Amino acid sequence: MGVKLAIVGATGMVGRKFLEVLKEKNFPIDKLYLFASSKSAGTVINYNGNDYVVEELKEDSFDRGIDIALFSAGGSTSEKFAPIAASKGCVVVDNSSAWRMDENVPLVVPEVNPEDIKWHKGIIANPNCSTIQAVVALKPLDDLYKIKRVIYSTYQAVSGAGMGGYQDLVNGVKGEAPKKFPHPIAYNLIPHIDVFMENGYTKEEMKMINETRKILHRPDMKITATTVRVPVFYGHSESINVEFEKEFNIDDIKNVLSNSPGVVVVDDVKNNKYPMPILAEGKNEVFVGRIRRDESVDSGINMWVVADNIRKGAATNAVQIAELLIK
Ligand code: A2P
């Protein structure tokens, strides 16, 4: 028996990737429904050899026994429609930031905290793309050496801002003015992702801090972050500095990461091998390299973590959650 599955935001950057990943994973679909705004209602999208017509998302869209809905249509759409879907018995896996910090909503990365899925009440949140790839690498290290403090510095691809972000880079190299970002992204970088908060951080930075604590069940963890948009199409990169409570051996860290689910260690600097966005693009794993001791503290490391932000950072993680739901 397959699943009655809906994609909300099916015409978007992540929505289209949901379909690609579902197909690759041979996800058992009985009926498929595609939703977007009125703007693209009527658009035809092919999935697995069949054509599907995109429908406008409406309040009665879930009145037909849909089991699971993967949402990626922005925060305000999720805020309004996820509770409606849940009230009809549908389980929502939501890619927006609308529900992530709600204490009644689990925030899940399947390699890290699959057990949290059990207490969902109809909505499960998919974390922020930068957070997902970071916690996949941090979890095994926290289990062994207990993390004291984390410093995140990110280098994030334009696709993280959806089709609009992607187009700004395509058009920017031709000399056209940006429409999505506040500044040109071609031949530039922008230390500003999402809106600025009262404390001087961006919302993206605060998402990384708060979501990491929630997923790792470490509300006390000291974390700071600087998030930066760079002119790369796909693949977020992160310099992560970690301080531990306990002592460690650097080779053990490399071994632990090599054996961790969802992680691929690429760390052979003598042969110029380290993770890069062009290597992570199109892949579902999190790539870790440049693993070295931070010689400025008693017990700490630096590492470089790269993943495809539209795959593991969004679509792949959501489909993995859906797979756990039907297990
Ligand atoms: P549409 O194509 O009709 O605008 P991206 O992040 O790549 O920009 O994609 C956003 C996705 O969310 C698109 O599929 C978009 O559909 C969809 N979307 C945006 N606003 C709404 C809305 N109010 N209701 C349903 N879907 C929406």
Side-chain angles (χ1 to χ4, degrees):
M1 252 307 270
V3 171
K4 289 197 177 66
L5 186 86
I7 310 280
V8 176
T11 51
M13 185 71 83
V14 174
R16 287 179 185 271
K17 196 60 77 177
F18 281 147
L19 293 171
E20 222 178 293
V21 176
L22 287 163
K23 170 82 172 54
E24 285 167 13
K25 288 178 168 277
N26 213 359
F27 192 86
I29 298 175
D30 183 18
K31 282 224 161 81
L32 179 66
Y33 302 94
L34 305 181
F35 299 107
S37 77
S38 57
K39 198 180 82 192
S40 49
T43 304
V44 175
I45 293 181
N46 192 279
Y47 176 74
N48 209 8
N50 298 311
D51 283 341
Y52 294 85
V53 180
V54 175
E55 298 175 51
E56 181 186 355
L57 181 68
K58 293 189 181 142
E59 299 197 5
D60 64 0
S61 294
F62 299 93
D63 293 357
R64 42 187 136 168
I66 295 172
D67 302 304
I68 298 175
L70 307 179
F71 272 59
S72 190
S76 54
T77 303
S78 293
E79 240 164 73
K80 177 170 175 196
F81 288 95
I84 294 175
S87 75
K88 304 283 161 68
C90 172
V91 182
V92 173
V93 181
D94 182 34
N95 194 51
S96 83
S97 62
W99 298 98
R100 289 181 191 146
M101 295 312 295
D102 188 305
E103 57 184 31
N104 290 308
V105 174
L107 183 64
V108 177
V109 177
E111 294 89 342
V112 178
N113 60 333
E115 69 284 358
D116 282 330
I117 273 182
K118 293 194 196 106
W119 54 268
H120 82 79
K121 299 177 176 68
I123 304 175
I124 298 168
N126 207 39
N128 170 270
C129 43
S130 316
T131 310
I132 292 177
Q133 66 184 72
V135 295
V136 167
L138 289 176
K139 167 70 176 169
L141 304 181
D142 188 43
D143 284 347
L144 280 172
Y145 308 110
K146 191 160 187 213
I147 294 171
K148 197 198 284 184
R149 178 168 187 244
V150 174
I151 304 172
Y152 288 134
S153 309
T154 73
Y155 305 71
Q156 299 184 215
V158 292
S159 54
M163 292 287 191
Y166 187 93
Q167 281 304 327
D168 265 14
L169 179 53
V170 171
N171 297 333
V173 293
K174 295 186 244 165
E176 291 176 28
K179 291 194 180 126
K180 178 82 184 177
F181 300 123
H183 303 281
I185 188 64
Y187 314 115
N188 192 24
L189 54 78
I190 308 174
H192 169 187
I193 300 181
D194 210 329
V195 296
F196 280 101
M197 317 282 289
E198 277 289 300
N199 64 359
Y201 282 70
T202 61
K203 198 169 165 196
E204 182 82 355
E205 288 157 355
M206 294 312 298
K207 284 178 205 166
M208 287 194 81
I209 294 168
N210 295 324
E211 293 178 23
T212 298
R213 290 177 175 148
K214 179 168 174 176
I215 298 163
L216 295 177
H217 302 285
R218 287 287 314 276
D220 58 318
M221 192 182 280
K222 290 183 178 161
I223 311 174
T224 189
T226 302
T227 59
V228 180
R229 189 74 69 193
V230 298
V232 165
F233 284 115
Y234 295 103
H236 288 354
S237 304
E238 301 175 345
S239 160
I240 308 185
N241 177 271
V242 195
E243 243 187 292
F244 301 111
E245 300 277 358
K246 299 181 190 161
E247 250 311 315
F248 66 88
N249 175 304
I250 198 73
D251 291 328
D252 290 344
I253 297 235
K254 291 181 188 176
N255 281 333
V256 166
L257 286 170
S258 299
N259 293 309
S260 296
V263 175
V264 176
V265 171
V266 181
D267 200 4
D268 178 10
V269 292
K270 286 200 187 79
N271 291 304
N272 299 339
K273 291 203 169 140
Y274 29 72
M276 292 185 288
I278 53 170
L279 301 178
E281 185 179 336
K283 309 265 172 53
N284 291 315
E285 294 82 11
V286 173
F287 297 84
V288 185
R290 302 293 323 277
I291 303 163
R292 62 208 192 274
R293 186 173 282 277
D294 174 356
E295 296 178 338
S296 71
V297 294
D298 288 339
S299 181
I301 60 161
N302 286 304
M303 60 181 173
W304 178 249
V305 178
V306 182
D308 185 323
N309 54 300
I310 302 296
R311 279 185 172 261
K312 185 55 185 162
T316 301
N317 199 73
V319 174
Q320 284 176 306
I321 292 173
E323 286 180 320
L324 287 180
L325 282 169
I326 61 168
K327 231 183 183 174

